[in-house]
Amino acid sequence: MPPKAKVSREEILDKAFELTRKNGYENLTARLLAKELNCSTQPIFHIFENMDHLKAALYEKVRLYFSEVMTKPSTDPDIPLFLSMGLSYLELAQTEKHLFRLLCMSDSFQLNSLYELAGKDIPSLDSKVVTKMWIFTHGIASILATNTTVLPKTEIRELLIEVFQDFYHGKPD
């Protein structure tokens, strides 16, 4: 009898992250994960009670990844953190479609705001501005993540900056 494969929690989550990134959250199974880790499903279920627990841990790993990317300071000093976060969110929707769908378009989990996703407190912006920007930004991100249309990055950036300035400076609705 061959020795049991030893796989760590982190190795399982890393592989689940990689498979989700490549194939989508809905295609992640214990058998596929075990095959990719070159083990049986037993080590997976020894560490995680069931797939729901594994997927909850995966969700948190993806949220932390998005948080890290979104909170990197902009290279443009004229762009405030809030706007920079929105631009990063849109880029992630476009480049990490499967991870974005898990995090922001899944019935399994719920986010209340861009700040919750990024793990940041809301800066001193009017809550109405934050709500409007969240709705606008998420709308564009959903379009990008589902390939509904193609928007050039420069156009997306200009749109987000323009709308942010309109909302922030109190232009009429």
Side-chain angles (χ1 to χ4, degrees):
M1 177 198 241
K4 290 184 181 178
K6 297 197 188 245
V7 237
S8 70
R9 183 179 200 279
E10 198 56 38
E11 288 171 317
I12 294 168
L13 284 174
D14 287 347
K15 187 57 72 173
F17 183 92
E18 177 186 317
L19 290 169
T20 298
R21 180 184 245 171
K22 181 180 174 188
N23 304 319
Y25 174 73
E26 59 282 348
N27 296 312
L28 181 66
T29 65
R31 284 186 186 190
L32 175 61
L33 192 52
K35 179 182 174 191
E36 291 290 319
L37 290 167
N38 201 25
C39 68
S40 71
T41 58
Q42 187 177 9
I44 295 167
F45 292 123
H46 177 74
I47 294 172
F48 295 96
E49 186 176 324
N50 55 41
M51 282 302 285
D52 288 340
H53 285 119
L54 185 147
K55 287 182 176 184
L58 171 63
Y59 177 85
E60 183 58 17
K61 181 176 181 69
V62 173
R63 191 196 66 74
L64 290 172
Y65 169 71
F66 269 52
S67 175
E68 182 182 312
V69 172
M70 289 173 53
T71 56
K72 282 186 183 170
S74 172
T75 55
D76 183 343
D78 294 332
I79 295 184
L81 175 62
F82 180 70
L83 184 53
S84 175
M85 286 171 58
L87 291 167
S88 295
Y89 181 72
L90 293 173
E91 186 169 333
L92 285 164
Q94 196 165 33
T95 61
E96 298 285 4
K97 293 176 188 295
H98 290 303
L99 297 180
F100 179 83
R101 287 182 189 135
L102 163 63
L103 208 55
C104 305
M105 300 177 82
S106 168
D107 288 343
S108 303
F109 305 99
Q110 181 180 8
L111 284 172
N112 296 313
S113 75
L114 190 61
Y115 291 106
E116 183 180 332
L117 175 62
K120 290 277 186 185
D121 292 328
I122 296 177
S124 58
L125 284 177
D126 182 312
S127 63
K128 209 172 189 179
V129 171
V130 172
T131 301
K132 287 177 182 180
M133 282 305 299
W134 170 245
I135 292 168
F136 184 82
T137 304
H138 185 70
I140 293 175
S142 298
I143 289 167
L144 296 172
T146 57
N147 298 318
T148 305
T149 190
V150 176
L151 292 171
K153 285 185 180 185
T154 54
E155 186 177 342
I156 292 168
R157 181 181 171 84
E158 288 170 11
L159 271 172
L160 200 58
I161 290 170
E162 180 181 327
V163 169
F164 175 78
Q165 289 171 341
D166 288 351
F167 290 158
Y168 186 72
H169 294 298
K171 293 193 177 182
D173 296 336

